[in-house]
Amino acid sequence: MARNDEEIVAEQAEIHRAVAGRTLCAAFADTVGRWGTGVALRWAAAGGWNALTWQEYGDRVRLFSLGLRQLGFGPGDSALLLMRNRPEHVIADAAIVHARGVPVSAYITASPEQLCHVANHSEATIAIVEPDLFDALGDVRSRFRTIRQIVKIGHGDLGGDSVSWDAVVAGGRECDDEAAFERCWSAAGPDDPAMIVYTSGTTGAPKGAVHTHRTVLSALESLARRGGADQRDRLISYLPLAHSAERWWSHWRGIVGGATTTFCSDPAQLVDTLVDVRPTWFLGVPRTWEKLAAGVRAAIENEPDADRRAALAEALDVGRSLVQAEQRGLAVPSALKARRDELKPLLTALLATFGLDQCRAPVSGAAPLSDDVATFFHALGLRVSEGWGMTELFVGIWNGLDRIKIGTVGPPLPGVEARIAADGELLVRAGGIMVGYHADPAATEQVVGPEGWLRTGDIAQVDDDGYVRIVDRKKDIIITSGGTKVTPATIEQLLRRNPLVGQVCVVGERRPYLCALIVLDREVAGSWASTRGLGDATMKELVSHPEMRAEVQGAVEAANASLARPERIKQFVLVDGEWSVERGELTPT
């Protein structure tokens, strides 16, 4: 059953006591002191992997932080980080905080206008950039109003307003003083800014959510009470560190819990990284889980041993029956359980080929995961659980590791209050909510009420057990010319049940009926084409092929069968080529 008000108040008091007076710097020092020889960071290098222990991580943070101070960077200053997922990103981030500055990560896919807005709006005085992105800055540098120096990862004397990473470290080594370093970070307070995280700018210029040491630690403490990572856990950092999800998932949560983080700078190498790391916690956006599901299905279909292929198919059928019974709260027949146990080694071996056999906490977030994909993984024995968060809160709702309700993001985390407004909007209140948007009090007042309730912009429903189901974004609701309100996310999720559908956008605002723009999943479409003797066909040829259109028409009809008449798709267009941030079809989020 859902928690009552007294239970929530008690949880909030416990979380407040747990984080009172603490800072992220103190948490980092505790972890370095406790797990000094344990591996903190790993990243790919020529011929293998490089690693830093917690003590080495701490040393690098100290030297870079002291080096920044030698450059004149100090309390209250902001620094722009333009890097992929790599050790220097988190070392610089932590070093800035230890210098009592404010890190601001930017998306590497940001347009020149977006990058300039983030740099100038945050009033960054230093930019830290990796080599190829440094060279790509070009004319953008002249449009930075407050940045006085750019730090380029690498070595060598750059001259002008640029300095190398190694030169900053050398400057820190020249004045290395552990006592002075500790005096600096010890002066940080719980309510000092620890980061500015910018929104994706879907409906205008990106806004910078300011999080303090207290809000970050409160959110992490709340999460840990439902399931936290510790020094035994292995994480992979591959989602953009400019996004709030990756920041709390692998950066600060890794620091607070002592987990080992492996960086994957190229998402195309994710499966190889999964196989190497075998993460115990893994966060994926729905598209990640959809692609992994497509890969697992292909592995089963292409299994050369007929007996093994049949056994895998049976294992999936047994797993689905178990999941359906569990989700409905029904008793599972003992014979079905026994057969599941007999077939489990086969499924574990299959998951091992994708590096997911040791994952005890597979999590999906950022957008709704289709019930079909979630059920598929549960049937495999990988209990993917959905969570919900946003730039302004990081994470506030999560199914956890035990009682997972597919199709929901779970109940609010300990200490988090949630309620539904009259118009269906989800409102939340918690200690982890941002203190406001940087230099934008008017925008802050629009989303955070006087009593601390955050207007999330999500339309949601809550069941009798307190589990939250996200229906759609409030601003995405379509009103047809007939006055019917339609939630496009629900329809898009139904369409994506067909593996051929990779990306989909339902449109229909002030139109008499709904239409869908559909992008084929490149891998699944390629496999489909090969089995029909069309292996040489290009994607452009496939989207216009009559057989492919008939297949997608079947997917549309299957989705329509579950929808009311005004919600049904009347026409669709197959689009050639995946949508991307670079072409402006998607925001970085």
Side-chain angles (χ1 to χ4, degrees):
M1 295 296 291
R3 298 163 300 160
N4 59 42
D5 291 344
E6 290 183 0
E7 290 173 318
I8 295 172
V9 169
E11 291 167 352
Q12 290 172 337
E14 290 176 6
I15 291 170
H16 178 74
R17 286 194 294 270
V19 305
R22 287 183 59 75
T23 65
L24 290 163
C25 301
F28 185 57
D30 289 347
T31 300
V32 170
R34 189 175 183 187
W35 308 110
T37 58
V39 177
L41 307 176
R42 295 175 75 244
W43 65 99
W49 292 87
N50 283 344
L52 288 179
T53 66
W54 281 104
Q55 185 59 60
E56 291 168 334
Y57 187 4
D59 290 343
R60 296 201 182 191
V61 167
R62 183 185 72 253
L63 292 176
F64 197 75
S65 184
L66 291 170
L68 287 176
R69 292 180 62 189
Q70 288 290 96
L71 295 178
F73 185 86
D77 288 340
S78 296
L80 181 74
L81 305 180
L82 188 62
M83 289 179 270
R84 295 176 177 84
N85 300 59
R86 54 187 297 160
E88 290 89 350
H89 200 139
V90 296
I91 290 168
D93 191 297
I96 292 161
V97 173
H98 280 72
R100 297 181 61 202
V102 187
V104 183
S105 289
Y107 289 100
I108 64 169
T109 54
S111 67
E113 290 72 23
Q114 291 170 329
L115 189 59
C116 286
H117 171 79
V118 170
N120 295 332
H121 185 264
S122 66
E123 302 170 280
T125 58
I126 285 180
I128 305 171
V129 187
E130 67 177 84
D132 64 320
L133 299 175
F134 176 91
D135 297 334
L137 282 177
D139 295 338
V140 173
R141 293 173 61 176
S142 64
R143 295 157 61 186
F144 292 152
R145 292 197 298 267
T146 55
I147 290 176
R148 59 175 183 264
Q149 281 187 312
I150 297 179
V151 178
K152 179 183 177 182
I153 294 176
H155 58 273
D157 184 11
L158 303 176
D161 65 348
S162 303
V163 62
S164 72
W165 175 281
D166 289 357
V168 177
V169 173
R173 189 174 285 113
E174 289 176 5
C175 65
D176 193 3
D177 183 340
E178 288 193 34
F181 173 66
E182 184 170 348
R183 282 195 301 273
C184 180
W185 69 253
S186 294
D191 295 315
D192 285 350
M195 64 188 74
I196 301 175
V197 186
Y198 277 81
T199 61
S200 61
T202 308
T203 57
K207 297 184 288 292
V210 179
H211 283 277
T212 65
H213 294 261
R214 187 193 306 277
T215 63
V216 177
L217 289 172
S218 293
L220 292 175
E221 180 68 22
S222 180
L223 177 67
R225 288 167 184 257
R226 184 154 296 160
D230 57 34
Q231 81 285 353
R232 300 166 296 177
D233 285 304
R234 301 183 297 277
L235 313 175
I236 294 177
S237 174
Y238 73 101
L239 297 171
L241 279 159
H243 192 280
S244 61
E246 190 62 66
R247 294 184 72 81
W248 67 258
W249 178 266
S250 68
H251 179 32
W252 286 117
R253 196 170 68 109
I255 282 175
V256 171
T260 299
T261 297
T262 297
F263 295 98
C264 176
S265 60
D266 180 4
Q269 302 300 316
L270 178 59
V271 173
D272 290 340
T273 307
L274 282 166
V275 171
D276 179 87
V277 175
R278 281 182 155 63
T280 54
W281 285 70
F282 179 68
L283 172 66
V285 295
R287 191 71 185 121
T288 302
W289 291 113
E290 289 164 4
K291 283 186 170 291
L292 287 170
V296 174
R297 288 189 176 104
I300 295 173
E301 292 171 2
N302 298 325
E303 169 57 49
D305 187 307
D307 291 339
R308 182 179 172 84
R309 187 168 62 250
L312 284 168
E314 182 192 356
L316 268 176
D317 288 341
V318 170
R320 285 195 180 94
S321 297
L322 281 167
V323 173
Q324 290 168 2
E326 290 169 354
Q327 291 296 308
R328 294 171 183 169
L330 304 175
V332 179
S334 57
L336 199 62
K337 283 185 178 180
R339 186 58 178 153
R340 185 264 314 268
D341 292 341
E342 290 174 5
L343 295 167
K344 186 176 180 180
L346 200 61
L347 293 176
T348 300
L350 177 63
L351 288 172
T353 63
F354 292 86
L356 293 168
D357 55 311
Q358 297 179 27
C359 189
R360 66 185 179 90
V363 180
S364 182
L369 179 68
S370 77
D371 293 359
D372 214 39
V373 172
T375 300
F376 176 75
F377 279 111
H378 277 243
L380 287 172
L382 193 71
R383 291 167 53 81
V384 177
S385 63
E386 287 193 78
W388 172 92
M390 56 193 303
T391 304
E392 294 82 356
L393 176 58
F394 290 162
V395 60
I397 305 173
W398 178 41
N399 267 282
L401 306 178
D402 301 320
R403 191 186 173 201
I404 299 169
K405 283 191 179 184
I406 292 175
T408 78
V409 292
L413 291 172
V416 177
E417 299 174 81
R419 69 185 188 191
I420 306 298
D423 62 355
E425 183 178 9
L426 174 67
L427 308 178
V428 295
R429 184 165 61 181
I433 291 175
M434 67 169 187
V435 295
Y437 292 123
H438 176 67
D440 200 340
T444 303
E445 290 179 5
Q446 288 178 359
V447 299
V448 183
E451 295 182 348
W453 289 97
L454 175 67
R455 301 180 181 92
T456 68
D458 284 322
I459 300 298
Q461 300 167 346
V462 182
D463 68 17
D464 292 339
D465 294 324
Y467 281 66
V468 179
R469 183 184 301 275
I470 303 297
V471 177
D472 211 330
R473 288 293 292 170
K474 187 176 178 180
K475 293 179 179 178
D476 288 346
I477 299 296
I478 292 173
I479 303 178
T480 67
S481 59
T484 302
K485 289 186 178 180
V486 176
T487 56
T490 301
I491 304 168
E492 291 163 358
Q493 188 179 90
L494 287 171
L495 288 168
R496 282 199 300 270
R497 284 184 176 179
N498 189 303
L500 278 169
V501 178
Q503 295 169 307
V504 58
C505 178
V506 171
V507 295
E509 183 71 16
R510 298 185 183 181
R511 296 170 181 262
Y513 52 79
L514 300 182
C515 305
L517 305 176
I518 296 174
V519 177
L520 298 176
D521 184 288
R522 184 171 294 275
E523 294 175 6
V524 178
S527 177
W528 177 92
S530 296
T531 61
R532 289 160 177 79
L534 301 170
D536 295 331
T538 64
M539 287 298 291
K540 187 174 183 178
E541 291 169 338
L542 284 179
V543 298
S544 58
H545 197 282
E547 287 187 50
M548 177 61 79
R549 289 196 60 81
E551 286 279 353
V552 178
Q553 180 65 51
V556 171
E557 290 172 359
N560 283 343
S562 301
L563 296 168
R565 187 176 297 277
E567 299 174 314
R568 294 173 185 168
I569 300 298
K570 297 293 178 63
Q571 291 187 10
F572 69 89
V573 175
L574 291 182
V575 181
D576 174 29
E578 287 194 0
W579 296 323
S580 70
V581 175
E582 290 77 10
R583 292 197 302 270
E585 296 141 335
L586 303 175
T587 65
T589 300

